[in-house]
C-alpha cells in the first residue's frame, strides 16, 4: 500500500484526505460540475474544499484553518467506534 508521500504512477489518480484540511488530488484527472461541464484546472495537483466554506469552491482556499474545521485524515467508520469500558 502506498502512503501520501510515495510517488504514484503517471496514469494513477491519488486522492488524499488531509487531517483537518482539504482533499489533495494528484494525477491526470478531469474535474466537472454537477451538470457535467468541465471545471478548468491548470495543475496536476489540486486541493478540494472539505469544510464547505471556501470562497473558491470546489477548491480549497485555507478557510478550514479559520473556522477550526475538524476531520480525520483516515477512513472514518459509522457509527464511530467507541472503546469498551471494562468494569
Amino acid at each position: 500500500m502506498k502512503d501520501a508521500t510515495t510517488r504514484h504512477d503517471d496514469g494513477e489518480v491519488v486522492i488524499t484526505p488531509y487531517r483537518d484540511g482539504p482533499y489533495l488530488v494528484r494525477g491526470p484527472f478531469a474535474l466537472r460540475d454537477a451538470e457535467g461541464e468541465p471545471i478548468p484546472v491548470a495543475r496536476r495537483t489540486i486541493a478540494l474544499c472539505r469544510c464547505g466554506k471556501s470562497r473558491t469552491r470546489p477548491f480549497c482556499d485555507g478557510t478550514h484553518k479559520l473556522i477550526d474545521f475538524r476531520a480525520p485524515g483516515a477512513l472514518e467508520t459509522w457509527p464511530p467506534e467507541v472503546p469498551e469500558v471494562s468494569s
Side-chain angles (χ1 to χ4, degrees), residues 30-63:
L31 191 59
R32 300 194 181 280
D33 66 17
E35 285 78 40
E37 295 299 317
I39 296 174
V41 177
R43 301 175 166 191
R44 285 180 53 100
T45 301
I46 61 168
L48 294 177
C49 177
R50 212 165 41 142
C51 74
K53 302 298 182 186
S54 171
R55 292 184 185 169
T56 60
R57 283 187 310 241
F59 304 105
C60 175
D61 68 358
T63 298

